[in-house]
């Protein structure tokens, strides 16, 4: 049965093109049979993840047969072309990104001009993370840039894990659990000012919340919820020292704690002083 051709794309509503890393746009398409792009060059990185179907990717003299579960990366300024199968055309999601750190990020996952394809098999988190960037742009808001970068880092962490497994590193190993922990730390460090849901984060990454919390605690000594709270309070302590013009209520909101009384109680629990007392003590130092 012929698949219905579709195409959607959404741009970053607040692109920060002066940043070291930024996402430009994201999209999804069910291509028509023998759909072809190129030969052409792009001025940014363009990455496709194949949800179903197959096709061929040409890059820097190499020819790569691309199937479901694989991701191919188009590097900037390289003459490329890609074509969907006549019998089983691609359905894929894509994101475009760039910046001074983009090349390093790609290389960290083993994606190079000579080897621009990675196979993540049945890992559904890859497709979910592509979709999450798309959804972030559709929701908009001033944090869309930060969220998209967070998801991009999580995505490349998955690629790095897949690359490691190709070199005889087994799932469930200490390396995998450490990788999961680092993903969580990066995500929470980027999103601490937002209303973070550990449950939603676990679903986004494709893990059970209890498993995620257990692995995280093994490596950090605390649960993700406690880590997030401490991260927020550490940021608040910095603001209390450096931003004298901000009220404690404004500082609480700035670090993602909307209840000033809860903020004050937790601050005292961790540091032994109320936020106001801590600020006054810092003034006398």
């Amino acid at each position: 049965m012929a698949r219905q051709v579709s195409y959607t794309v959404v741009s970053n509503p607040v692109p920060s093109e002066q940043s070291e890393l930024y996402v430009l746009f994201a999209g999804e398409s069910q291509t028509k049979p023998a759909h072809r792009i190129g030969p052409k060059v792009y001025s940014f990185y363009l990455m496709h993840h194949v949800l179903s179907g197959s096709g061929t990717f040409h890059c820097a003299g190499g020819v790569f047969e691309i199937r479901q579960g694989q991701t191919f990366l188009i590097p900037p300024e390289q003459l490329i072309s890609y074509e969907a199968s006549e019998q089983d055309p691609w359905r894929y999601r894509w994101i475009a990104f760039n910046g001074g750190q983009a090349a390093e990020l790609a290389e960290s996952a083993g994606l190079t001009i000579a080897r621009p394809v990675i196979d993540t098999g049945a890992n559904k988190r890859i497709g979910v993370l592509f979709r999450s960037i798309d959804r972030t742009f559709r929701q908009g808001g001033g944090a869309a840039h930060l969220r998209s970068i967070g998801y991009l880092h999580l995505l490349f962490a998955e690629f790095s894990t897949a690359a490691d497994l190709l070199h005889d590193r087994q799932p469930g190993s200490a390396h995998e659990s450490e990788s999961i922990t680092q993903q969580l730390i990066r995500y929470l460090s980027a999103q601490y000012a937002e209303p973070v849901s550990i449950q939603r984060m676990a679903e986004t990454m494709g893990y059970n919340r209890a498993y995620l919390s257990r692995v995280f605690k093994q490596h950090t000594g605390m649960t993700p919820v406690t880590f997030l709270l401490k991260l927020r309070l550490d940021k608040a302590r910095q603001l209390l020292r450096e931003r004298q013009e901000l009220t404690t209520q404004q500082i609480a909101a700035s670090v993602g704690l909307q209840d000033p009384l809860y903020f004050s109680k937790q601050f005292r629990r961790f540091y032994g002083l109320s936020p106001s007392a801590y600020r006054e003590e810092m003034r006398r130092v």
Side-chain angles (χ1 to χ4, degrees), residues 216-284:
F216 191 86
K217 189 171 184 178
Q218 286 173 350
H219 283 271
T220 66
M222 63 185 84
T223 66
V225 171
T226 302
F227 179 88
L228 176 61
L229 176 60
K230 189 174 187 308
L231 179 64
R232 285 169 164 168
L233 293 175
D234 284 345
K235 296 291 184 180
R237 189 166 57 165
Q238 179 183 350
L239 290 174
L240 285 166
R241 292 195 305 268
E242 300 176 0
R243 299 295 301 272
Q244 297 291 324
E245 78 280 11
L246 296 178
T247 67
T248 55
Q249 183 172 351
Q250 290 168 337
I251 288 173
S254 297
V255 299
L257 296 171
Q258 301 304 319
D259 184 341
L261 293 178
Y262 176 78
F263 165 61
S264 182
K265 178 181 179 181
Q266 295 303 320
F267 193 94
R268 183 187 293 274
R269 182 166 74 90
F270 272 79
Y271 305 119
L273 295 170
S274 70
S276 299
Y278 175 80
R279 171 175 268 174
E280 186 59 36
E281 184 176 277
M282 289 301 100
R283 285 175 179 155
R284 294 197 297 267

Side-chain angles (χ1 to χ4, degrees), residues 5 12 30 39 54 87-88 119 122 128 148 163 208 247:
V5 175
N12 189 339
Q30 171 59 64
S54 61
Q87 292 76 31
D88 189 20
D119 192 337
V128 169
S148 66
N208 174 274
T247 67

Side-chain angles (χ1 to χ4, degrees), residues 13-226:
V14 283
S16 182
E17 297 186 8
Q18 302 307 311
S19 301
E20 283 298 296
L21 187 66
Y22 55 91
V23 182
L24 289 161
F25 56 84
E28 181 174 342
S29 177
Q30 171 59 64
T31 62
K32 64 183 180 181
H35 171 73
R36 182 178 177 84
I37 299 292
K40 64 182 296 185
V41 298
Y42 290 95
S43 60
F44 46 79
Y45 286 89
L46 182 61
M47 185 162 59
H48 293 68
H49 177 64
V50 179
L51 301 170
S52 63
S54 61
T56 306
F57 174 46
H58 296 253
C59 178
V63 181
F64 306 89
E65 298 298 324
I66 311 295
R67 63 183 185 278
Q68 179 179 345
Q70 293 185 318
T71 300
F72 62 97
L73 179 66
I74 298 171
E77 311 307 334
Q78 291 292 320
L79 186 64
I80 61 88
S81 66
Y82 49 106
E83 182 175 2
S85 164
E86 176 74 42
Q87 292 76 31
D88 189 20
W90 282 319
R91 176 171 166 247
Y92 48 38
R93 292 177 183 152
W94 67 85
I95 53 175
F97 63 96
N98 215 347
Q101 295 178 352
E104 180 182 352
L105 190 65
E107 289 174 6
S108 71
L111 288 166
T112 64
I113 293 175
R115 293 185 298 173
V117 181
I118 190 163
D119 192 337
T120 49
N123 185 346
K124 294 182 179 179
R125 292 187 295 276
I126 304 299
V128 169
L129 289 166
F130 271 80
R131 171 62 66 82
S132 296
I133 293 175
D134 183 296
R135 185 173 61 246
T136 290
F137 290 163
R138 293 185 188 281
Q139 292 172 344
H145 166 65
L146 290 177
R147 287 196 183 96
S148 66
I149 295 304
Y151 286 129
L152 188 65
H153 277 293
L154 289 172
L155 186 56
F156 271 90
E158 293 292 337
F159 291 150
S160 295
T161 299
D164 287 339
L165 292 175
L166 290 176
H167 293 86
D168 297 324
R169 300 211 182 185
Q170 298 303 313
S173 66
H175 174 77
E176 186 195 40
S177 63
E178 182 178 351
S179 174
I180 291 171
T181 300
Q182 291 305 314
Q183 289 179 57
L184 273 170
I185 289 173
R186 283 193 290 268
Y187 182 94
L188 294 173
S189 297
Q191 302 291 321
Y192 72 89
E194 302 301 319
V196 175
S197 163
I198 303 300
Q199 178 63 39
R200 187 164 58 247
M201 180 178 64
E203 291 171 355
T204 297
M205 294 176 64
Y207 290 105
N208 174 274
R209 174 176 174 166
Y211 171 73
L212 211 62
S213 295
R214 184 170 66 254
V215 166
F216 191 86
K217 189 171 184 178
Q218 286 173 350
H219 283 271
T220 66
M222 63 185 84
T223 66
V225 171
T226 302

